Amino acid sequence: MDSRRPPLAPAFRTLPEYLRHWAETTPERRAFTFVDHPAPGSRGVHRTLTWRRLDVRVRAVAARLAEEAEPGARVALLCPQGLEYVTGFLAALTAGLVAVPLYPPGLPGQDDRLTAVLADARPTVALTTGRHLGQVRELCDRVVAVDEVPDAAAGGLRPVDGEVAYLQYTSGSTRTPAGVEIGHTNVVANARQALGAYGADVRPVTCVGWLPLYHDMGLVLSVAAPVVRGLLSVLMDPVAFLHEPARWLRLLSAHPGALSAAPNFAYDYCASVVTDAQKADLRLDGVFALINGSEPVRPTTADRFQAAFRGQGLAAETHCPSYGLAEATVFVSAARPGQPLRRFALDRDALAEGKALPARPDDPRAVLLAGCGAPAGQRIRIADSHSQAVLSEGEIGEIQVQGPNVGRGYWNHEDQSRRVFGADGWLRTGDLGTVLEGQLLVTGRLKDLIVVDGRNHYPQDVEATVQDTHPALRRDRLAAFGVAGGAGERVVVVAEHARTTSLAEIDVPALVRGVRAAVSGRHGLRLADVVVVPPGTVPRTSSGKVSRSLTRERYLAGAYAVDGAA
């Protein structure tokens, strides 16, 4: 029997306890499906585990891990996206080990980060698949291939209790990656918070996702939440999405009540490249909620995506801007499905002074932001980043969070833990924002803030202006940042050109003049340098966001001072 609505689950402390519950009470229900796309034209090859089958595989791998490591040791997950990743993660938790969600060697642009994380986490054993066994053995002494462990290994292993479930390494957008200690109670609490925020605690949904499982949102929405609620989770590989984004939309179409998440760029990407022929067989009227968990969430992106797929039945009320971070497991606040997108037009000059004051939406100097909803079972406050004084509604300050989902600190980084997690029980997120009309607005990162002549400028605001000035500039693949100069901070923009053109075909001086004029007119900023670079040149974090800090480092090191500078 595979009815749509799973029965309600009692409250358990750990994910392995929930897994065991569903395996005993609904053994033949589908638990996880991975849709592989082995060839460019593939419509998808489905592989599915029922709750019973998943339980057998998890217990087998957990028993094998118990032979290699003592409870509390770290186990690195170096599996590709798929059922083996899910199995390995849950097996590590079942064996009382601390999982470290990562990825196999060879992920473009991520090998240095992988090496740094492994050096920091110091795992006792690594989990991978038979296909990656040789590569992983070059990095770790003890390696277990999930798909090579026989079912017969699943004996009478009892789940081992521990405090820490896994280390969620931060994406490294503003600092060296650090592993957040996520406790068993943290991840269960955040899964329940997310299910409640999006209404998935009271109605049947299918979690559909392509976000990498080593990323906080991918792990919680595609693994933890389905395990807690007993929901079907349908997965695909991020690379398959990037090669053909219509594949994601087809999965949404095929699963009524789909709940899914993607960063801001993915919605723009779908609106730009999905063809009319690909749209023809899509039915998106059954999509329940689409989470946009990027910073910033742009109302124009939601509008563009809705306009592109309105003909396929997509309801405008499915778009749910949300906010979160790894230090809070992931989810902090969320707009609820079925409600109109909350839009805020704010005065740009007032924002520069730390105030969120309304402006006319049609004012070209207005900053347009989407409300990221209300807190999901936790508390939020806005505080002065220096004095820690709590600020009033409409004042811009650091977003701080308190709740059962907030992690325990950074693994092996006590000083950093004290600074960020604090002694007063409030997590310092490092993100700037305010609360208006009950909605959290995220305005930027504290460490990315550009300060010129005493005025604050948000880099993503400048980037939005720049990318709209010329069609040859690649959307969401540019970085604005400040560098020290003789007379104060100078502002630099490094931007990739679109893949559809070459640098030789672009009139770079004319493009740069247009960029300078637009930024000067809208922001009152004089750009010290504008550099146009090839696609793939602006570095990104493991979660796909542009790394402004690393772009700044490369710029100062002279890495971009060859072509396209002006």
Side-chain angles (χ1 to χ4, degrees), residues 163-407:
E163 293 298 323
V164 180
Y166 60 99
L167 302 183
Q168 181 65 65
Y169 273 81
T170 59
S171 58
S173 59
T174 57
R175 60 178 179 266
T176 302
V180 183
E181 293 185 347
I182 302 296
H184 286 279
T185 54
N186 296 146
V187 64
V188 168
N190 202 225
R192 295 178 74 93
Q193 289 166 338
L195 290 165
Y198 300 114
D201 57 340
V202 294
R203 60 165 292 159
V205 302
T206 298
C207 296
V208 176
W210 57 264
L211 292 177
L213 298 181
Y214 57 79
H215 184 245
D216 48 13
M217 187 178 290
L219 189 62
V220 172
L221 194 67
S222 290
V223 180
V227 168
V228 166
R229 183 70 177 93
L231 302 171
L232 172 62
S233 179
V234 180
L235 300 164
M236 62 179 284
D237 194 288
V239 175
F241 165 76
L242 293 172
H243 284 171
E244 190 181 320
R247 291 166 168 165
W248 176 45
L249 302 179
R250 282 197 287 268
L251 289 183
L252 294 176
S253 181
H255 295 88
L259 169 66
S260 194
N264 200 83
F265 88 86
Y267 295 102
D268 272 326
Y269 184 42
C270 286
S272 299
V273 306
V274 175
T275 66
D276 289 340
Q278 290 171 329
K279 292 178 184 179
D281 60 350
L282 294 178
R283 285 285 306 274
L284 300 177
D285 53 320
V287 174
F288 176 57
L290 293 174
I291 301 165
N292 187 331
S294 187
E295 300 120 33
V297 179
R298 300 194 184 104
T300 51
T301 294
D303 294 342
R304 193 175 298 117
F305 187 80
Q306 170 63 20
F309 299 103
R310 185 184 295 113
Q312 285 64 52
L314 183 70
E317 294 76 21
T318 60
H319 211 82
C320 300
S322 305
Y323 166 74
L325 68 164
E327 287 81 354
T329 304
V330 61
F331 290 100
V332 171
S333 72
R336 275 44 175 179
Q339 299 180 5
L341 188 76
R342 295 293 303 275
R343 305 160 187 272
F344 294 84
L346 303 179
D347 182 271
R348 192 182 305 275
D349 292 332
L351 272 180
E353 302 297 332
K355 304 285 185 182
L357 298 179
R360 293 196 324 274
D362 59 349
D363 184 341
R365 285 181 52 78
V367 176
L368 302 178
L369 295 176
C372 288
Q378 50 205 290
R379 298 171 65 202
I380 290 176
R381 72 180 186 186
I382 307 298
D384 183 279
S385 59
H386 299 293
S387 70
Q388 297 302 296
V390 178
L391 302 178
S392 303
E393 179 166 315
E395 292 186 289
I396 306 295
E398 183 181 32
I399 301 167
Q400 299 187 352
V401 178
Q402 187 181 75
N405 53 300
V406 173

Side-chain angles (χ1 to χ4, degrees), residues 342-500:
R342 295 293 303 275
R343 305 160 187 272
F344 294 84
L346 303 179
D347 182 271
R348 192 182 305 275
D349 292 332
L351 272 180
E353 302 297 332
K355 304 285 185 182
L357 298 179
R360 293 196 324 274
D362 59 349
D363 184 341
R365 285 181 52 78
V367 176
L368 302 178
L369 295 176
C372 288
Q378 50 205 290
R379 298 171 65 202
I380 290 176
R381 72 180 186 186
I382 307 298
D384 183 279
S385 59
H386 299 293
S387 70
Q388 297 302 296
V390 178
L391 302 178
S392 303
E393 179 166 315
E395 292 186 289
I396 306 295
E398 183 181 32
I399 301 167
Q400 299 187 352
V401 178
Q402 187 181 75
N405 53 300
V406 173
R408 300 160 55 88
Y410 295 112
W411 156 256
N412 216 23
H413 293 277
E414 292 184 10
D415 291 342
Q416 192 176 344
S417 294
R418 280 193 292 269
R419 286 195 305 272
V420 174
F421 290 83
D424 60 353
W426 286 90
L427 168 68
R428 299 189 61 176
T429 68
D431 291 316
L432 292 167
T434 191
V435 175
L436 283 178
E437 302 174 16
Q439 295 278 310
L440 176 67
L441 302 185
V442 183
T443 57
R445 285 286 298 171
L446 188 60
K447 291 185 177 181
D448 285 342
L449 198 63
I450 300 169
V451 183
V452 178
D453 297 330
R455 291 172 60 82
N456 296 334
H457 299 272
Y458 297 97
Q460 69 271 18
D461 194 17
V462 176
E463 291 158 5
T465 297
V466 171
Q467 69 183 13
D468 287 339
T469 61
H470 199 286
L473 293 175
R474 194 178 179 200
R475 300 191 69 83
D476 296 314
R477 293 294 184 270
L478 68 166
F481 50 88
V483 297
E489 195 159 45
R490 301 161 59 242
V491 184
V492 174
V493 170
V494 176
E496 294 182 7
H497 66 74
R499 292 189 181 277
T500 53

Side-chain angles (χ1 to χ4, degrees), residues 110 113 171-174 539-548:
Q110 297 297 327
R113 178 180 182 273
S171 58
S173 59
T174 57
R540 289 184 288 160
T541 70
S542 61
S543 59
K545 298 176 185 176
V546 165
S547 175
R548 298 186 185 98

Side-chain angles (χ1 to χ4, degrees), residues 37-103:
H37 297 85
S42 172
R43 300 279 291 189
V45 178
H46 294 58
R47 292 173 55 217
T48 296
L49 290 176
T50 62
W51 288 106
R52 187 206 304 272
R53 186 84 189 107
L54 175 63
D55 179 58
V56 170
R57 293 303 305 145
V58 165
R59 287 189 290 113
V61 177
R64 179 70 182 84
L65 284 173
E67 298 173 2
E68 296 287 342
E70 295 292 325
R74 275 82 56 211
V75 52
L77 286 166
L78 305 182
C79 299
Q81 188 99 337
L83 300 179
E84 290 79 15
Y85 204 111
V86 177
T87 301
F89 174 73
L90 294 172
L93 272 55
T94 299
L97 301 175
V98 178
V100 185
L102 290 166
Y103 39 83

